[in-house]
Amino acid sequence: EKIMTVFANKKEALKMFLGTLLCCIIFAFFTFFDMRKLSGGSSAFDNVYFYLICRIFCGVFLPVLIFAAAFGLKTLLSKKPLIEITPEALIDNTSLISLGKILWSDMEFVFVKGAFFSIILKNPEEYLKKASPIKKLLIKWNMKMGYGQVCINPVLFSKDFLEFVKCFNRYMPIPEI
């Protein structure tokens, strides 16, 4: 029995995808095109160090942007709900590092940090052992930044975040937001 189902707001997902795609194009341009050819000898790109720093920066972040664009496209095309709340569990599909079905009894603590809804698990190893090495690494990075093993960004929710919080609060108490 599903208590609440939250789908992606397709309009927000499209804006996110197009913005990320535009950034990918710009970063690819700066990474692979020699800007010194356009400058005619009178720009900051003539400074070899500035040029190399720009190229390295764009080259490093281009794969990150491509990864984000792929997730945006997946979210845009998916008919799968981002979040489902049932009496037994929270089913999280909000990101590429989501852990899926998380039992209420496995949740230790919930908090809000910035724009993220974060969950600390009682026994995270049980969930992480099923995750891919990349997913484990990204979850550990989130934890080093002060987030829980489960991190939900409500920016793409089709429903009001407070409605989600009220429904969630029935099963797992949330400290005051």
Side-chain angles (χ1 to χ4, degrees):
E1 165 196 359
K2 292 178 189 169
I3 305 298
M4 177 184 234
T5 303
V6 179
F7 289 93
N9 180 330
K10 297 298 181 178
K11 186 177 177 181
E12 290 300 317
L14 179 62
K15 286 195 290 188
M16 184 181 287
F17 171 69
L18 291 176
T20 308
L21 189 61
L22 178 63
C23 287
C24 282
I25 292 167
I26 292 168
F27 273 51
F29 181 78
F30 278 105
T31 302
F32 300 113
F33 187 77
D34 189 348
M35 293 300 292
R36 294 176 292 186
K37 292 177 183 175
L38 286 181
S39 70
S42 60
S43 80
F45 286 104
D46 290 330
N47 180 323
V48 174
Y49 297 113
F50 177 76
Y51 174 72
L52 284 174
I53 289 169
C54 281
R55 212 158 185 182
I56 290 167
F57 178 80
C58 291
V60 166
F61 285 102
L62 184 60
V64 173
L65 286 170
I66 292 170
F67 185 71
F71 172 70
L73 185 61
K74 176 187 173 267
T75 302
L76 190 60
L77 299 177
S78 178
K79 294 185 182 348
K80 197 176 191 180
L82 293 177
I83 293 278
E84 290 180 74
I85 294 179
T86 69
E88 299 82 34
L90 169 77
I91 303 166
D92 174 26
N93 297 305
T94 56
S95 73
L96 293 174
I97 62 169
S98 297
L99 294 174
K101 186 176 184 176
I102 302 152
L103 300 175
W104 297 112
S105 59
D106 290 344
M107 295 181 200
E108 185 173 332
F109 185 71
V110 180
F111 62 98
V112 176
K113 180 176 178 182
F116 294 92
F117 188 79
S118 215
I119 302 169
I120 304 286
L121 300 174
K122 290 178 183 171
N123 193 1
E125 296 78 27
E126 287 298 313
Y127 287 89
L128 292 177
K129 73 180 179 187
K130 301 173 202 167
S132 71
I134 292 173
K135 190 182 274 195
K136 285 178 193 173
L137 177 69
L138 294 173
I139 291 170
K140 287 178 182 178
W141 279 355
N142 273 351
M143 292 168 59
K144 285 182 182 179
M145 292 186 294
Y147 296 97
Q149 294 87 7
V150 179
C151 208
I152 299 169
N153 184 349
V155 72
L156 293 177
F157 279 19
S158 59
K159 293 188 178 177
D160 182 45
F161 181 59
L162 289 177
E163 187 180 334
F164 163 75
V165 169
K166 286 178 189 173
C167 188
F168 186 96
N169 205 29
R170 282 191 246 163
Y171 301 100
M172 180 69 190
I174 306 167
E176 285 296 313
I177 297 175

